[in-house]
Amino acid sequence: MRARWFLSVIAFSSVFCFGPISDHMTFRQAPADKTGIRWSHVNARSDHRYLPETIPPGVAIFDYNNDGWMDILFVNTGESEFFHPERPLYPALYRNNRDGTFTDVTAEAGLRANFFGMGAAVADYDGDGHQDVLLTGYGKCVLYHNNGNSTFTDVTAKSGINPPGWSTSAVWFDYNNDGKLDLFVAQFVDYTSLKSCGSANAYGGKVEGGPEAQIYYCIPRVFDPMPSHLYRNDGGGHFTDVSKETAILESLGKGFGVVATDINNDGYLDLFQANDTVPNFLFVNRGGQKFEEIGLASGVGYSEDGLARSGMGVDAADFDQDGRQDLFVANVDQETFSMYRNNGDETFTDLSISHGIAGPTRLLSGWGLRFLDYDNDGFADLILANGHPDDLVDKRMNGVTFLEPLLLFHNDGHGKMIHVSESSGDVFRGKYAARGLAVGDLNNDGYPDIVVGINGGPPLVLYDNAESNNHWIGINLVGTKANPAATGSLIRWSVKGSVRARLKTAGGSFLSSQDPRDVLGIGKAEKLDWLEVRWPKPSTRVDRFTGLPIDQYVTVVEGKGIQ
């Protein structure tokens, strides 16, 4: 029997008139025999316990063929110095057939990168109207240019994008506000030693009843940190590494998740990078020239106890609608996750205890995550994908397991997050080795669906059943003078005199890329008063619309209106 929401009937005090929290909602898992998605991740797990085996896969939701329906890309592992598969292993691209099924079009699309892949970052970097794909991985990155005819070409060699070592999450954003999408690539540890750890140096110690010389995955603390890289888009498909001149190179970290957002409302996008076993970075963009790393000073670098944690997934959103971007970071078990409220002075306060996040996450390890409005009531909810990195953890720690549940939190409209996983569907009762997570509307019903990459297994495809019956409007922003993805745009909309706002961020989650469209929830209201888009620099334009249709998608082109 399908699980449903049984939430107490509490009316929102907001004049937004969204209706009671008791609206029923649930997610349902779509099985492979219904979707046609039969791909499964190969994690290359071996007795040597090479650390890269534990990290991927990332996933991406995007429209590769511009037919108005979101397709899905899965990142796979492949050839490397420590893994030699019997047959080539490529990423998998599934075309949306518009009927709930998907078709594998990897071969015909030309995605033939056989390397140890980690994640994906998708954007139209050259402004030709087609979504391009960057794949990150161990040893190299691969850049695919979308040819506009449902095929891709590997343009890595001529692009100038060549970060050394182990690349994880990446994000396309316009750091210098010149109207072109630049690229930030997070780097993990120096793993050139290919080191594995014995019981003395591993995550915890000997397996009870196991051999004395048990080999474990090394905790990242034993490896040297690496600088991440920033690439400036020069146009013409070429990029220049500007990591040194922008001061990105000065900060050595162990980067996992990264999100581009504007924490101080100065019109320049900043970067929040989660680091594993060393302090997190908050790179504040100082006028498009340099980045100042203020993780320690801002309060997001360490835990409240002054400890560096195992930062993995991240995201940003204005969850309390005070006009400032808040941050979220997931960590490993015993550390709890952090929801940071933006204080408005480039500092943050961790609300994880007071807002109900700490308890449910204390024994979990979080990777992919996303702020999303799953019931279209206008407030940012939160979903978390979890799974411990060590497949032997069950044998050495009480209360901590390798496979872990997904978590869902509902925003009560007053800044508090209510843990509602148990009443949200059967999928939340399962346990998984979850990693990357992407959110997007796969069936164009205006409600966010979810794809989760599973380490060493088939993915989860979760459909939002839209049981709240709240109204919405979906917008696809296209910049002309502003960057093509319109990252950094401020979207404002009014319903019955109440105004909501959303900054269009970039990146977030873990190793994954999201549906580029924005769905604005309007609750039970049957019309919008108005919609406003304040385009990012170098544009100075503000486009305002009235009389827009609801419960459908529209494309908003900068300076040209609704298309």
Side-chain angles (χ1 to χ4, degrees):
M1 180 178 178
R2 197 167 57 182
R4 302 171 67 88
W5 295 117
F6 293 98
L7 300 176
S8 58
V9 180
I10 304 175
F12 287 111
S13 61
S14 169
V15 295
F16 226 25
C17 299
F18 285 137
I21 291 179
S22 60
D23 280 341
H24 293 162
M25 176 65 60
T26 189
F27 283 90
R28 58 182 171 83
Q29 181 179 353
D33 61 350
K34 301 295 185 183
T35 64
I37 298 174
R38 303 189 180 280
W39 176 86
S40 185
H41 177 250
V42 176
N43 60 8
R45 179 160 289 141
S46 68
D47 293 338
H48 295 286
R49 293 294 199 270
Y50 295 120
L51 190 58
E53 299 168 4
T54 70
I55 307 304
V59 298
I61 295 177
F62 71 112
D63 183 5
Y64 90 100
N65 56 359
N66 281 358
D67 67 351
W69 293 74
M70 293 296 117
D71 311 297
I72 307 175
L73 175 69
F74 300 102
V75 182
N76 212 348
T77 57
E79 186 70 27
S80 74
E81 54 193 303
F82 55 84
F83 178 52
H84 307 286
E86 294 182 359
R87 59 179 179 81
L89 295 175
Y90 306 120
L93 178 62
Y94 278 85
R95 185 187 64 223
N96 191 329
N97 297 326
R98 314 182 193 185
D99 60 359
T101 68
F102 295 79
T103 297
D104 187 340
V105 294
T106 309
E108 62 192 71
L111 300 178
R112 313 296 288 179
N114 179 20
F115 76 121
F116 208 95
M118 289 282 146
V122 178
D124 177 12
Y125 70 77
D126 58 353
D128 66 356
H130 305 286
Q131 300 295 301
D132 310 301
V133 177
L134 177 87
L135 299 178
T136 64
Y138 178 81
K140 68 176 182 179
C141 291
V142 177
L143 179 63
Y144 281 107
H145 179 260
N146 190 326
N147 300 320
N149 59 0
S150 298
T151 69
F152 293 84
T153 298
D154 184 342
V155 294
T156 312
K158 64 179 182 180
S159 71
I161 298 173
N162 57 350
W166 184 350
S167 299
T168 51
S169 295
V171 56
W172 296 98
F173 75 118
D174 184 6
Y175 85 90
N176 56 359
N177 286 347
D178 66 352
K180 296 189 289 290
L181 286 171
D182 311 300
L183 177 68
F184 179 87
V185 182
Q187 298 289 113
F188 197 44
V189 300
D190 180 356
Y191 195 66
T192 53
S193 66
L194 297 183
K195 183 179 181 179
S196 298
C197 290
S199 58
N201 295 321
Y203 273 103
K206 299 176 182 179
V207 173
E208 183 177 351
E212 292 294 318
Q214 175 68 52
I215 296 177
Y216 293 84
Y217 291 111
C218 297
I219 192 168
R221 187 174 292 115
V222 306
F223 301 105
D224 291 334
M226 297 289 289
S228 294
H229 287 262
L230 179 63
Y231 293 90
R232 184 187 64 221
N233 189 337
D234 301 323
H238 187 268
F239 296 79
T240 296
D241 190 336
V242 293
S243 308
K244 183 177 181 179
E245 64 193 69
T246 57
I248 293 292
L249 211 61
E250 296 176 5
S251 299
L252 301 182
K254 301 178 182 181
F256 266 160
V258 61
V259 62
T261 189
D262 185 358
I263 64 134
N264 52 12
N265 291 337
D266 67 350
Y268 289 89
L269 290 179
D270 313 300
L271 294 164
F272 179 44
Q273 174 181 308
N275 286 318
D276 196 342
T277 70
V278 297
N280 299 323
F281 294 152
L282 182 54
F283 292 109
V284 177
N285 190 335
R286 300 304 186 192
Q289 300 298 313
K290 288 191 175 183
F291 287 83
E292 180 185 359
E293 201 289 292
I294 64 166
L296 172 60
S298 68
V300 302
Y302 294 84
S303 71
E304 290 189 319
D305 298 323
L307 301 175
R309 295 180 291 182
S310 300
M312 296 184 286
V314 298
D315 204 13
D318 181 6
F319 77 87
D320 54 3
Q321 283 294 297
D322 66 354
R324 299 188 290 263
Q325 289 289 292
D326 310 298
L327 302 174
F328 194 98
V329 61
N331 301 295
V332 79
D333 65 278
Q334 314 298 331
E335 296 178 344
T336 73
F337 303 177
S338 287
M339 186 166 70
Y340 290 110
R341 183 186 63 203
N342 190 327
N343 298 323
D345 58 359
E346 297 189 355
T347 69
F348 293 78
T349 300
D350 189 348
L351 303 180
S352 60
I353 295 178
S354 63
H355 282 51
I357 298 295
T361 63
R362 185 169 297 279
L363 296 179
L364 301 181
S365 299
W367 304 87
L369 59 94
R370 191 70 173 167
F371 284 108
L372 76 168
D373 183 5
Y374 67 79
D375 56 354
N376 281 335
D377 67 356
F379 295 103
D381 311 304
L382 180 67
I383 188 163
L384 307 172
N386 310 293
H388 201 279
D390 182 4
D391 62 331
L392 299 177
V393 70
D394 305 62
K395 300 180 179 180
R396 62 176 179 77
M397 293 186 68
N398 292 326
V400 178
T401 59
F402 172 55
L403 304 180
E404 298 178 348
L406 306 175
L407 295 185
L408 185 67
F409 291 86
H410 184 270
N411 189 328
D412 70 354
H414 305 288
K416 295 291 182 70
M417 292 291 185
I418 311 301
H419 183 210
V420 295
S421 306
E422 291 185 2
S423 57
S424 301
D426 291 341
V427 68
F428 292 93
R429 300 186 183 95
K431 293 187 176 183
Y432 315 94
R435 297 296 187 264
L437 176 148
V439 173
D441 185 0
L442 299 177
N443 55 2
N444 282 346
D445 68 350
Y447 282 77
D449 308 307
I450 299 162
V451 179
V452 181
I454 302 297
N455 183 261
L460 300 177
V461 178
L462 311 180
Y463 279 96
D464 187 327
N465 278 344
E467 293 184 353
S468 71
N469 293 315
N470 283 332
H471 295 295
W472 55 277
I473 181 171
I475 58 174
N476 179 35
L477 297 183
V478 180
T480 53
K481 188 174 183 180
N483 68 81
T487 58
S489 294
L490 181 63
I491 306 165
R492 300 173 70 239
W493 69 104
S494 174
V495 179
K496 294 188 176 181
S498 184
V499 178
R500 292 284 182 261
R502 179 183 301 174
L503 182 74
K504 190 170 182 61
T505 61
S509 190
F510 177 76
L511 304 180
S512 299
S513 194
Q514 318 297 321
D515 184 338
R517 302 172 298 180
D518 285 276
V519 178
L520 313 178
I522 61 175
K524 300 305 181 186
E526 296 184 354
K527 68 175 183 177
L528 282 170
D529 300 331
W530 49 261
L531 170 71
E532 179 182 280
V533 179
R534 186 178 299 274
W535 300 91
K537 299 175 183 177
S539 178
T540 58
R541 187 174 182 87
V542 178
D543 286 330
R544 190 179 178 97
F545 307 94
T546 58
L548 292 178
I550 64 171
D551 297 336
Q552 67 183 65
Y553 284 95
V554 297
T555 295
V556 180
V557 180
E558 178 189 353
K560 298 181 180 179
I562 305 297
Q563 303 292 303

